[in-house]
Amino acid sequence: KAGVTQTPRYLIKTRGQQVTLSCSPISGHRSVSWYQQTPGQGLQFLFEYFSETQRNKGNFPGRFSGRQFSNSRSEMNVSTLELGDSALYLCASSWGGDEQFFGPGTRLTVL
Amino acid sequence: GENVEQHPSTLSVQEGDSAVIKCTYSDSASNYFPWYKQELGKGPQLIIDIRSNVGEKKDQRIAVTLNKTAKHFSLHITETQPEDSAVYFCAASRPGGYQKVTFGTGTKLQVIP
């Protein structure tokens, strides 16, 4: 069974630009969560989608948004990038219960 | 909201020794406590989890204990091996399947051959 895949794996952007990250969950999983990981703040919850609906949201500004498609694939968008947005963005999938399985992440660098 | 504290931040052990990582949580409604291992360049990998109706769970060399009264839980790794070297995260979440998981700050474990 294929694991969670995230594309791209690495991304370099400049301040003010926007970026879209993609996540394909494990087949059959309907929940996708997004996390930001930085050395200073650790792993922080961004939001969770289940069957195309956002069920929960963390404490991030509105520049961070997401969506989920009918095939459970999810995208995360960050607009007007800031230097502080440089981080590893992780996606995790779940069938809808507690257990989450993480992808390898997308390393975003904002210059 | 939930707050999870994790100690120690770094831990060095000799190969074959045991390692213990401790976490405390603040939200008494939390009922699911997973542990993740993250190797360099990879995403966190779920290694073991425990629910609030269970006091201890074991899987080969790894065990987790939960004290609901004190609101703390621990990861125990016995007979450590060099491949156990990684960053370990504890986490806590509330019931309902709404994946708002709160993570600890991580413990960097180094197993010295």
Side-chain angles (χ1 to χ4, degrees):
Chain A
K1 203 174 194 183
V4 178
T5 58
Q6 291 187 245
T7 56
R9 292 294 312 277
Y10 302 91
L11 206 48
I12 299 175
K13 292 286 187 180
T14 55
R15 279 179 298 174
Q17 288 186 311
Q18 75 164 22
V19 67
T20 299
L21 313 181
S22 181
C23 171
S24 292
I26 293 171
S27 177
H29 284 191
R30 297 169 65 187
S31 168
V32 173
S33 298
W34 288 90
Y35 294 85
Q36 182 194 65
Q37 186 175 30
T38 60
Q41 299 297 319
L43 272 156
Q44 292 188 291
F45 173 79
L46 280 154
F47 31 64
E48 186 239 354
Y49 287 86
F50 181 84
S51 293
E52 302 178 66
T53 301
Q54 187 181 88
R55 288 201 301 190
N56 216 333
K57 191 177 188 305
N59 298 321
F60 278 81
R63 300 186 297 107
F64 292 82
S65 63
R67 59 177 175 169
Q68 187 179 33
F69 302 95
S70 57
N71 61 358
S72 294
R73 191 178 70 84
S74 177
E75 288 182 346
M76 189 192 102
N77 185 273
V78 188
S79 63
T80 320
L81 284 166
E82 301 177 0
L83 294 179
D85 297 334
S86 294
L88 180 68
Y89 289 90
L90 292 159
C91 160
S93 84
S94 165
W95 59 268
D98 295 319
E99 290 186 1
Q100 293 187 91
F101 298 88
F102 283 83
T106 294
R107 172 74 62 185
L108 172 65
T109 302
V110 181
L111 302 176
Chain B
E2 173 69 280
N3 182 49
V4 177
E5 294 190 1
Q6 183 172 347
H7 299 281
S9 56
T10 60
L11 181 58
S12 289
V13 299
Q14 292 289 330
E15 183 178 356
D17 286 351
S18 294
V20 180
I21 302 170
K22 298 183 178 182
C23 290
T24 59
Y25 62 99
S26 61
D27 188 349
S28 56
S30 290
N31 72 335
Y32 177 65
F33 307 93
W35 285 88
Y36 291 89
K37 174 185 181 182
Q38 188 173 25
E39 297 173 289
L40 206 60
K42 297 184 179 180
Q45 175 194 2
L46 178 67
I47 57 171
I48 196 167
D49 56 14
I50 193 167
R51 299 183 190 278
S52 58
N53 59 346
V54 175
E56 184 175 359
K57 185 176 178 180
K58 230 177 174 180
D59 183 3
Q60 299 182 339
R61 297 185 296 109
I62 293 173
V64 57
T65 58
L66 171 65
N67 183 325
K68 275 195 307 183
T69 304
K71 288 192 273 188
H72 66 69
F73 55 114
S74 301
L75 177 71
H76 304 252
I77 305 173
T78 58
E79 301 171 18
T80 54
Q81 301 166 3
E83 51 265 38
D84 293 330
S85 296
V87 179
Y88 291 81
F89 292 94
C90 63
S93 70
R94 306 185 77 182
Y98 285 34
Q99 306 289 326
K100 190 170 184 179
V101 180
T102 302
F103 284 83
T105 48
T107 297
K108 186 173 183 180
L109 173 64
Q110 180 185 21
V111 180
I112 304 164

